[in-house]
Structure formats: C-alpha cells, structure tokens
Amino acid sequence: MAKTTATVSTRTISLRLLRKDRTVADAVRDSRGLTEHPTRTGRLFYEQSNDMPPPWLELVNQFSADGSLQLRNKSCAAVLFLDVVSVAGARTFALAFGGGHLALHADAFERNFGLKVALNSIARADLKNLDVATLEATSFQKRVQASRKSDLGDFGIDTEHDLLRLAGGVPTDTNFASSLSGKDALMLTAKMSADEISTKCAAALTLFEATDYKKDYSFIDQIAPVREADLIDALDALVFAEIQHLLVGKPSDLHLTIPEIIDPEATHEIGYFGPGFRPGAKTGYGELTIEDYVAELSAGKPNELKSMADIKPSQEIRVVIDGQGSKQRRERLYDCFVFEAVHLGRTYVLFAGDWYCIEDKFFASVEADFQKLLAPVALVASTAALNEQELIAELDKDPDLLNLDKVKSSPAGAPGANLEPCDFLSRSKAFIHLKDGHGSAPISHLWNQGVVAAESFVRDETFRKSMRNAAIVRQKAAGKKGFELLLPDGRSKPVAANYKVIYGVMRHRYQRSKKLGLPFFSKVSLRAAAGRIELMGFPVEVHLIEKV
C-alpha cells in the first residue's frame, strides 16, 4: 500500500469524542450506506452517493422551453475514527468530512465536548460567535456573531437565563488552533499535516477535562448536564408519563422545539416518523408543536409505546416532501422535547436531548426573588375561563377596573409601534397585564409587555396622551367614570412609585405537587424583567390565577 506524503496546510477539521461506554459500531447508523476502507491507522468509512436530480428540477423544467434540463446532484462523505492517548487517558475520536456527521448517532458522543474545549481555550475577550437558547414554552434560539474578537459582555446574553450552546473565537494558544468553535463537535482550524491530527485530538481531550472555563464562564455550571444513566432513566419516565397524560387530554408542560438554529431561507414541512405513528403518506406541518405530535400519535398506535425506550432511539421528525420523509434531513424526536421536572427535591430541564440539573444556590436565589414578587392574594383566586380573552370578559364586570385590552398607543417617533399599555387599569393605579400561562405564547412575552409599557409611560409624553385618550373613550363605552384622572395629562411627568405593575398569570396546578406555580425559566426571565421595572420606580407584583 502506497504511503501518501504528509503535507502541511491550513485545515478545518470536525472532531467528536466517543463516549467511554460506546464503540465504533454503536456510533455509525445502520441505515447509511457506508463502506469501510483499509487505513494505516484508525478506521475509515466512506460513502459515495449516486447522482440524482435535485428536488426542484421538475418545477424549473416547467419553465424551460422544452423541459429537457438534466441537472444532477452528487455527494460524498467520510468518517475517520482515531484512538488517541493523552494525559487524560485513551479515547476514540471521530472526524467527519462532508456529510459524514449524518452517519453518526449523536447520543454515542460526548455532549458539549466542543463547547467545553472552546470555553477552556478562548478568553472572554477573544470571542467571535455564540449560540444561546432560552428554555421556555416557546424556546428562542439565537446566534450572535462579532466582526472581530469581542468580550463576552458585548454579546448581550443573559448569563442567568440563556443556555450557552456554542462558542467560537480565537484560542489563547494559537499553536493549538488559529480559531475554534464548539458545541457537541469541535471545529478546529490550524496549520497541520495528517500525522499531527492525533496530537490535536490529544490536546483537545486534555482541554475537555480542564476547568479553566470557571474563571470567565462559571455561569454555565448553574445549569449542569446530567450524565448518570439511572437518573436519566428516571427522568425519562417522567416525560413518558406526561405523554400519556396528553393522550388522554390532561394538561402538561411538555413541549417540542427543534434544537438547532434553522436556516431562515430554507422552506420545509415537518412530519412524524417511527413507532406509534400511523404508516403511509405523512402530513407535513409548518412548525413543530406538542399538539400535532399528540394528534399524530392518537391517529396511530400509541399503545405500542411501553416506555421512553420505544421513543428515544426510533421516533424522528423529518422534512416531508410529497408525503415522504427525507432521511437526509431528520432529527431524533427525543432531542426536540423540552420539559421541566422536579425529582427527589431537585429541578431538572430536558433540552436538545440532554437533561440539565439546576444548581441549588441558583434555584434558591431565583425562587426567593419570585416569592418576593408573588402577591398573597390574587386579583382572582380561580377562574373557569378557558383563555385570556374569557378572563378579560370576566374582569370587565368589575367597576374598579377599566378594560384597555387591545388599545394601541404609540410613542413619539414610532407611529406604527402600536404598544398595548395594559389589559386593565385599576382605580388603585395598577397597570394589569394578563396571560394564559398554558397558551401558545411564552410567558416571557407578558414580562416584556410590562417592561415596554412601563418604559413608554415614564419616558414618552405622546404615549401617555394616547393612553389617557383611550381611557376616556373606553370608560364612556363601559359606563364607568374617573379613570382618566388617574393618568397624567401628557405634559405632566408621572411619578412611577404612585403606580404599580401587576402580572396576572392563569395556570393549572402542577399534576404532581398540586401547587400553583410557574416554570423555573419563566421565573428567571421574570426576575430580569421585574428588576428593570423596579429600577424605574414601579412596584411589581405577580398574581397566580388558578384555572379550574
């Protein structure tokens, strides 16, 4: 066998670290057409796909003169497994080339390997890009990129609320790499030969085991990944129980979100595949929702599912084209579950296929701040209203409340902003914002609404005039009087301490604890919003309204 010359050039390689309890056979998807090729070291697999027309060719040919365009796509991929020994021990790495990562089982590899290496390598002032996610009823994901090296504080992330998913930048040791970015995989750019790749892997392994990140990025330990198999099994059983509750129409806080940032220019519909779902042509959905998932299961054979072990390895979402799912564009459904659970006195969150434990001190701090905001007596102790609009209709009968729902007031210089000042103004000068805490919109929308309305009320004369005029119109229509006297005439600047911001949230009691409460990450985002409002001088209260 001829030996190739080890040339030195600048390369970007993608590294994944195989878990200690997994083998190469565990890591490679059986459904992929991979072929093993002889190597000097390690194990090498490759795939050469047959050429095929692109999916859009049929449409394009309808516009061509004779429909004869013959365009073909062809792709190839490779995965190289290397055994590496370092001071941290002996481990196996996988290098993916082209679409090779699609041939790998994500759960066979160390989660957050690339992120940990990146944070142990990159000083906080040398970051260039971050991916973060907020874990709420609707999970928001964002990517922030800097045009040059920047400090962590410049990226505008909330270190208490945002889950750091990926970090990239320039490492302190530029001999190791000229640039790095990492999540589960580590993308490493450096000048190297093929023979030096094992050395890079060994260095990455040492960095993975290091704790240098605690100096600048200790906040990531507030939300720590769970690795114990027996604990994960117990937590997964709680999720499976939630699915059973949903199948019989009971409320649940379980929801779904695609754990990756999606290309906004890519249009697609998503379908559900695997055990429990009905066979045949699949319905395509424009977004991923727990309601559609449960509907698809209900229409299939949900009784086939005996535990999370039937869901975790086999259920998938795929991009659907003409009723058929693309095996190239798919995601394990388990990786899309988002759930918060309390188990043996500790709080856990499932996100992107991993369970995270909330640090006790962080949890206690957030809970203490929430209790300070929680009103001892709610506006309404309980309600039979099915949604926010029905609750508003119910409260509208109170002579001491003026309905300002759907009033649109715009600050100066923003005529189309159409901000809603509040849902109700009370005679005790409270701005009341309401939300169905089990609705489709995240509770954080409510917190943000209160912040924006409070800022506009304090700072903007035009907004205050618009709000006062709307109050005059609304009270006349409702047969109520005197509410306009509670508001400044526009020219007078209000004293924030004379008013109060009240958040009213409709919630079902939790199934297990039977307590009325909010999801943990909603409390985290509330703390940030309430802090901003209190800095303006407004007192803030949270009123939990039980849905019965």
Side-chain angles (χ1 to χ4, degrees):
M1 184 184 300
K3 182 176 178 179
T4 59
T5 303
T7 58
V8 176
S9 62
T10 299
R11 311 173 190 271
T12 297
I13 56 175
S14 170
L15 301 178
R16 287 170 172 79
L17 179 60
L18 195 67
R19 286 168 46 179
K20 291 180 179 179
D21 60 343
R22 299 302 174 92
T23 66
V24 171
D26 297 327
V28 178
R29 288 181 184 268
D30 294 335
S31 59
R32 300 285 298 191
L34 293 178
T35 302
E36 188 163 4
H37 188 76
T39 59
R40 292 188 293 118
T41 182
R43 296 181 66 181
L44 176 63
F45 298 83
Y46 74 93
E47 177 186 23
Q48 177 66 68
S49 68
N50 296 323
D51 61 341
M52 60 179 60
W56 42 261
L57 181 60
E58 182 270 336
L59 175 61
V60 168
N61 261 327
Q62 293 182 41
F63 290 88
S64 69
D66 56 4
S68 62
L69 274 177
Q70 296 293 321
L71 304 179
R72 314 292 288 182
N73 281 336
K74 195 171 186 177
S75 64
C76 56
V79 180
L80 175 64
F81 290 91
L82 292 176
D83 292 327
V84 173
V85 178
S86 78
V87 294
R91 299 292 293 271
T92 300
F93 283 80
L95 283 74
F97 303 91
H101 64 283
L102 298 172
L104 301 175
H105 284 294
D107 62 351
F109 296 89
E110 294 283 3
R111 296 282 189 170
N112 290 333
F113 162 71
L115 176 63
K116 189 83 173 289
V117 173
L119 296 183
N120 277 320
S121 306
I122 303 169
R124 62 171 292 150
D126 294 331
L127 291 165
K128 294 191 73 173
N129 56 289
L130 296 176
D131 284 7
V132 295
T134 57
L135 311 184
E136 296 195 55
T138 296
S139 296
F140 291 95
Q141 299 179 72
K142 61 183 178 181
R143 173 167 296 162
V144 187
Q145 294 180 321
S147 59
R148 58 184 177 183
K149 294 188 295 185
S150 300
D151 186 78
L152 173 66
D154 297 333
F155 284 81
I157 69 168
D158 184 341
T159 57
E160 289 193 346
H161 188 210
D162 294 336
L163 176 65
L164 187 58
R165 301 271 288 136
L166 177 147
V170 179
T172 302
D173 181 4
T174 53
N175 290 321
F176 173 54
S178 58
S179 67
L180 289 175
S181 66
K183 187 166 55 174
D184 291 343
L186 175 69
M187 299 298 294
L188 180 154
T189 300
K191 185 173 286 188
M192 58 184 149
S193 68
D195 291 340
E196 292 176 294
I197 289 178
S198 290
T199 303
K200 297 295 184 185
C201 291
L205 182 56
T206 300
L207 286 165
F208 177 62
E209 301 290 345
T211 58
D212 297 12
Y213 73 92
K214 290 181 179 293
K215 176 183 176 183
D216 291 327
Y217 311 102
S218 60
F219 63 89
I220 69 170
D221 289 336
Q222 293 176 159
I223 309 171
V226 176
R227 298 302 182 214
E228 299 85 356
D230 55 345
L231 176 55
I232 291 173
D233 288 343
L235 296 170
D236 281 348
L238 299 180
V239 178
F240 187 77
E242 293 297 314
I243 295 172
Q244 304 309 305
H245 288 153
L246 285 163
L247 286 168
V248 296
K250 293 182 179 179
S252 171
D253 292 309
L254 179 65
H255 55 282
L256 292 170
T257 186
I258 296 177
E260 303 293 336
I261 293 178
I262 301 170
D263 181 358
E265 297 181 358
T267 57
H268 56 262
E269 289 190 322
I270 295 167
Y272 298 90
F273 295 79
F277 299 119
R278 57 185 174 183
K282 298 294 184 179
T283 300
Y285 296 93
E287 61 180 346
L288 190 65
T289 70
I290 193 66
E291 292 81 8
D292 292 337
Y293 170 68
V294 172
E296 286 290 312
L297 270 185
S298 298
K301 299 179 180 179
N303 292 334
E304 291 181 349
L305 306 176
K306 305 302 181 185
S307 71
M308 185 57 75
D310 296 323
I311 294 175
K312 198 169 185 175
S314 305
Q315 283 193 347
E316 296 181 337
I317 57 167
R318 300 178 188 171
V319 170
V320 173
I321 302 172
D322 296 330
Q324 302 299 311
S326 169
K327 292 186 178 181
Q328 301 296 322
R329 302 169 68 188
R330 62 183 180 176
E331 189 84 41
R332 190 174 65 157
L333 195 89
Y334 180 82
D335 292 347
C336 302
F337 284 126
V338 179
F339 186 60
E340 180 184 317
V342 176
H343 179 66
L344 300 179
R346 304 205 62 183
T347 300
Y348 298 88
V349 173
L350 175 63
F351 181 77
D354 272 321
W355 281 101
Y356 296 88
C357 180
I358 310 303
E359 183 191 40
D360 288 343
K361 289 183 180 178
F362 181 51
F363 181 87
S365 172
V366 171
E367 185 62 29
D369 285 345
F370 174 68
Q371 292 299 325
K372 292 176 184 176
L373 296 172
L374 193 60
V377 179
L379 285 164
V380 182
S382 62
T383 181
L386 298 177
N387 51 48
E388 178 186 335
Q389 289 305 309
E390 288 190 10
L391 177 62
I392 287 173
E394 182 181 316
L395 294 177
D396 204 12
K397 301 171 185 176
D398 189 328
D400 293 325
L401 298 177
L402 179 63
N403 185 342
L404 294 179
D405 178 45
K406 294 185 173 63
V407 164
K408 302 301 181 183
S409 299
S410 298
N418 291 332
L419 303 179
E420 185 176 279
C422 58
D423 290 307
F424 284 96
L425 170 64
S426 77
R427 292 196 187 277
S428 60
K429 291 188 174 182
F431 301 128
I432 301 170
H433 302 270
L434 301 172
K435 176 69 70 178
D436 181 355
H438 293 283
S440 58
I443 299 174
S444 61
H445 281 186
L446 179 66
W447 312 149
N448 292 334
Q449 181 186 29
V451 171
V452 173
E455 288 178 340
S456 299
F457 182 72
V458 168
R459 298 176 181 175
D460 194 271
E461 178 182 333
T462 302
F463 181 87
R464 292 194 295 271
K465 285 181 179 178
S466 176
M467 182 179 179
R468 192 171 190 271
N469 291 337
I472 292 171
V473 172
R474 284 291 182 94
Q475 70 179 8
K476 183 177 181 180
K480 300 176 181 180
K481 295 181 179 180
F483 283 93
E484 83 282 5
L485 301 177
L486 306 174
L487 301 169
D489 60 8
R491 292 168 296 177
S492 304
K493 191 166 183 177
V495 177
N498 293 337
Y499 295 85
K500 181 186 295 183
V501 174
I502 290 178
Y503 291 117
V505 188
M506 303 163 64
R507 293 283 294 174
H508 289 291
R509 290 186 181 272
Y510 283 109
Q511 292 291 315
R512 291 177 180 80
S513 69
K514 305 303 179 185
K515 293 181 179 179
L516 201 58
L518 294 176
F520 176 74
F521 281 99
S522 294
K523 295 176 185 176
V524 174
S525 56
L526 168 64
R527 179 160 74 164
R532 289 176 62 184
I533 295 172
E534 288 172 339
L535 282 174
M536 297 178 226
F538 294 93
V540 180
E541 288 183 357
V542 175
H543 294 227
L544 296 181
I545 303 169
E546 182 179 1
K547 293 183 73 172
V548 296

